[in-house]
Amino acid sequence: MKLINDHLAVKAQALPATGDGFVMLAGEVGSWRGPFASAPTRLAARLKALVAGIEAREANVFRAVLRPPGEGGEVLAARGIRPARFDVVVLIRTASVEAALELRESAAYQELAETLRAASRRTHQIVADNAGRLGDVDHSQDHCYLFNYFHADDRETLLKVWEYTAGWFQAKTALPNSALMRPVEGEPADYGLVNHASWPTWRTFLPSLIFRPTFRTFVLANFKANGVAAQPIIYRRV
């Protein structure tokens, strides 16, 4: 790992990974106008009704609202990977990866997945484990939820970069939680890690991304130096 501007580096105060499993189903459905997304509310409501019938630790539906600055478009282009423009996401958390794999074969999940596929230009589906965390993401509140779709040739380097960039977010935006989802063997790995996190309000994090110079000179600079494509999207829970 190359560490750029290491005088700014602070490692994240991370917690041990859990044994949770995740099923993430994402779709390109609506439209983007610059950094702003517009996903159909009727579809989101239909998906929310369907996830209510899934037996899991929790299952939530999210609609994208904003795409903050990211890094690594040239990395994705060089490897033939399409950028993440998912404006609808379903996230299901289970007690284990085995439970997630089993759930994906259930009739209730198949109906959910087919509903989103029928409405989407493109979908992305993975079963994942937990590769690291800062804390459990609270889905009981009307918060701003992040899904950051990461790609790098070396996932171990990506994990190290995340430790330092997450440390910046903890220090500068009071990031309270984060759960790294890592596709298990045999799953699509276009996005080798997907970071899920949340903030209580826009003002907690958005001004730092716009006005703090170290967001670019440290966070984005370290992504670029280590060949990391970071594609963050902010969502609201349906």
Side-chain angles (χ1 to χ4, degrees):
M1 173 190 173
K2 300 175 184 177
L3 191 56
I4 305 301
N5 290 324
D6 57 357
H7 63 286
L8 300 171
V10 178
K11 267 193 174 185
Q13 299 177 29
L15 299 174
T18 70
D20 293 344
F22 300 91
V23 182
M24 191 191 81
L25 174 65
E28 292 182 4
V29 181
S31 60
W32 290 89
R33 291 191 175 184
F36 302 103
S38 176
T41 56
R42 185 176 297 180
L43 173 65
R46 172 61 176 155
L47 295 173
K48 184 178 180 179
L50 289 172
V51 300
I54 288 180
E55 296 184 10
R57 284 191 168 175
E58 59 177 339
N60 291 281
V61 180
F62 303 87
R63 293 175 66 236
V65 291
L66 177 69
R67 196 175 65 219
E71 178 59 62
E74 69 284 355
V75 174
L76 299 176
R79 287 149 185 79
I81 297 172
R82 294 175 65 178
R85 296 293 183 266
F86 305 117
D87 51 338
V88 175
V89 172
V90 178
L91 181 63
I92 304 168
R93 183 168 69 97
T94 62
S96 65
V97 169
E98 291 74 19
L101 290 166
E102 183 177 346
L103 182 147
R104 191 169 61 178
E105 300 305 315
S106 68
Y109 178 82
Q110 292 298 320
E111 181 181 4
L112 172 74
E114 182 53 37
T115 299
L116 183 56
R117 277 195 293 265
S120 300
R121 296 182 298 276
R122 173 196 175 204
T123 59
H124 182 72
Q125 177 183 235
I126 58 169
V127 169
D129 64 7
N130 179 225
R133 67 189 180 111
L134 306 183
D136 294 331
V137 181
D138 181 4
H139 295 115
S140 67
Q141 306 296 320
D142 184 24
H143 286 177
C144 301
Y145 292 96
L146 166 74
F147 285 84
N148 198 342
Y149 306 87
F150 288 114
H151 174 84
D153 291 341
D154 180 17
R155 196 151 56 182
E156 290 306 311
T157 297
L158 176 53
L159 280 167
K160 293 175 182 176
V161 173
W162 173 80
E163 287 182 341
Y164 286 100
T165 54
W168 184 93
F169 277 99
Q170 279 185 324
K172 304 302 183 183
T173 72
L175 179 64
N177 54 59
S178 174
L180 270 180
M181 295 180 288
R182 174 177 53 196
V184 299
E185 186 175 355
E187 296 295 298
D190 288 357
Y191 318 113
L193 291 173
V194 179
N195 186 31
H196 181 46
S198 72
W199 291 271
T201 65
W202 293 102
R203 65 178 178 270
T204 313
F205 70 96
L206 194 55
S208 291
L209 306 189
I210 298 172
F211 300 115
R212 286 188 186 271
T214 55
F215 173 65
R216 287 169 175 77
T217 61
F218 183 76
V219 176
L220 296 186
N222 276 290
F223 288 150
K224 185 173 184 177
N226 289 279
V228 173
Q231 304 172 89
I233 300 177
I234 301 296
Y235 299 77
R236 302 310 288 257
R237 189 170 62 85
V238 177

